[in-house]
Amino acid sequence: MMTLAIHDQRLAKPGSQNAALRDYDSVRRAIAFISENWRAQPTIEAMADAAGVTPDELHHLFRRWASITPKAFMQALTLDHAKGLLRDSASILDAALDSGLSGPGRLHDLFVTHEAMSPGEWKNGGAGLTLRYGFHPSPFGTAIVIATDRGLSGLAFADPGEEKAALADMTRRWPNAIYVEDHEGTAPLAARIFDTKLWRPDQPLRVVMIGTDFEVRVWETLLKIPMGRAVSYSDIACNINNPKASRAVGAAVGRNPVSFVVPCHRALGKSGTLTGYHWGITRKQAMLGWEAGQLGMQ
């Protein structure tokens, strides 16, 4: 039986004074407006009004949050941009097979090594596993970081007031594990994930994947997608030698428990459409736009 310790006070007001969370709350509202109105190319005044800030505040907010202007972010959300991310996607995956997950192919990205739990550990619902978790501010809202002694095993996101539900969603994946809140213990992992200065090849982030064999193969393929690019579900299906499994691939992508680090947000529809995302389509858009800003700083 699952054991779970939750401090309700922290969940009620997670990082209420934290600048990163305040930034994302305003960014989230701006992104939702932009995603619905980008075809009309709205003015910065209209974006700012939707976000509840002044145009000057919105400009500085986006520069601080993603190192790009609101206009550049809007361009990063257009359908043409999404289609551009997909260009040569199949060859990108082929090249990644030869470059390794922590080599030149991930020059602009998190440096990650990974391992998979045994099928038995997945089938028994995590029985015998102790999973530590903590709530941390991030560029994409409150991050729920979950770890085993072997490395990062879960990363989820939540908007204000949804933290408890997001944690419950994660614990249902491994119902027989023991869950212990450990904010201090998971804080270094959160810093390693969201502080780009710590993205170093000589200190790879270890990820432990807990899922079926098929899911793990899909997640391993996601790790091969460089920042600033995307692939379609059919590309992933072909990469794992199961070209007719696009629908199953989509389901496996949706069950990815390590958001952002295992970049399921870089999986798009074949036409470049921003298809559904377990942690919300607005957050998926935010991640793609944020990454565009990071690449612009290179």
Side-chain angles (χ1 to χ4, degrees):
M1 180 179 296
M2 177 183 71
T3 301
L4 179 62
I6 300 177
H7 296 319
D8 288 334
Q9 184 174 4
R10 176 175 296 166
L11 288 171
K13 295 183 179 180
S16 58
Q17 301 302 314
N18 188 278
L21 295 182
R22 291 197 304 271
D23 282 358
Y24 180 69
D25 187 55
S26 296
V27 166
R28 176 173 57 87
R29 283 177 278 158
I31 293 171
F33 174 79
I34 293 170
S35 65
E36 293 177 2
N37 298 278
W38 62 266
R39 288 178 179 81
Q41 297 293 289
T43 65
I44 189 172
E45 287 80 11
M47 298 180 209
D49 183 64
V53 296
T54 68
D56 189 57
E57 288 172 335
L58 184 66
H59 178 84
H60 289 293
L61 168 64
F62 267 82
R63 294 291 297 179
R64 181 171 68 249
W65 178 77
S67 301
I68 55 177
T69 66
K71 182 178 180 180
F73 189 89
M74 178 170 61
Q75 292 170 342
L77 293 182
T78 64
L79 183 60
D80 283 344
H81 175 76
K83 288 180 178 178
L85 293 178
L86 284 172
R87 293 190 187 111
D88 303 321
S89 58
S91 61
I92 287 173
L93 288 176
D94 291 339
L97 291 173
D98 299 322
S99 64
L101 295 181
S102 58
R106 295 181 66 79
L107 181 62
H108 300 294
D109 210 342
L110 282 167
F111 294 95
V112 175
T113 62
H114 72 280
E115 63 177 282
M117 290 275 187
S118 69
E121 288 173 304
W122 172 79
K123 287 180 181 178
N124 65 16
L129 280 177
T130 296
L131 298 177
R132 297 174 291 111
Y133 69 91
F135 298 88
H136 303 276
S138 84
F140 313 110
T142 298
I144 303 169
V145 177
I146 301 176
T148 71
D149 291 338
R150 284 152 46 179
L152 178 72
S153 57
L155 179 61
F157 295 96
D159 293 327
E162 298 177 356
E163 296 81 13
K164 193 171 183 177
L167 176 61
D169 171 68
M170 293 299 286
T171 58
R172 281 193 293 269
R173 297 165 186 259
W174 313 295
N176 297 323
I178 297 172
Y179 292 85
V180 178
E181 183 168 14
D182 184 3
H183 181 269
E184 291 186 2
T186 53
L189 279 174
R192 175 68 180 79
I193 293 165
F194 299 114
D195 185 351
T196 56
K197 297 183 181 66
L198 300 179
W199 294 8
R200 296 173 52 182
D202 59 330
Q203 295 181 1
L205 175 67
R206 179 167 290 280
V207 174
V208 179
M209 298 177 177
I210 309 175
T212 67
D213 178 67
F214 180 83
E215 288 171 344
V216 169
R217 289 167 62 201
V218 170
W219 301 339
E220 287 175 335
T221 302
L222 293 173
L223 278 171
K224 301 170 187 174
I225 310 170
M227 181 185 288
R229 302 308 295 261
V231 301
S232 68
Y233 299 112
S234 58
D235 288 329
I236 296 173
C238 290
N239 185 259
I240 62 174
N241 298 316
N242 200 341
K244 296 183 179 180
S246 295
R247 188 179 296 274
V249 164
V253 170
R255 288 193 293 269
N256 168 34
V258 191
S259 178
F260 184 64
V261 174
V262 179
C264 49
H265 58 282
R266 297 179 196 157
L268 306 179
K270 196 165 187 178
S271 64
T273 53
L274 296 175
T275 50
Y277 187 62
H278 189 75
W279 289 275
I281 193 68
T282 298
R283 188 167 280 108
K284 181 173 185 173
Q285 294 167 322
M287 289 178 179
L288 292 173
W290 185 87
E291 290 182 343
Q294 298 302 310
L295 288 174
M297 296 175 63
Q298 301 295 329

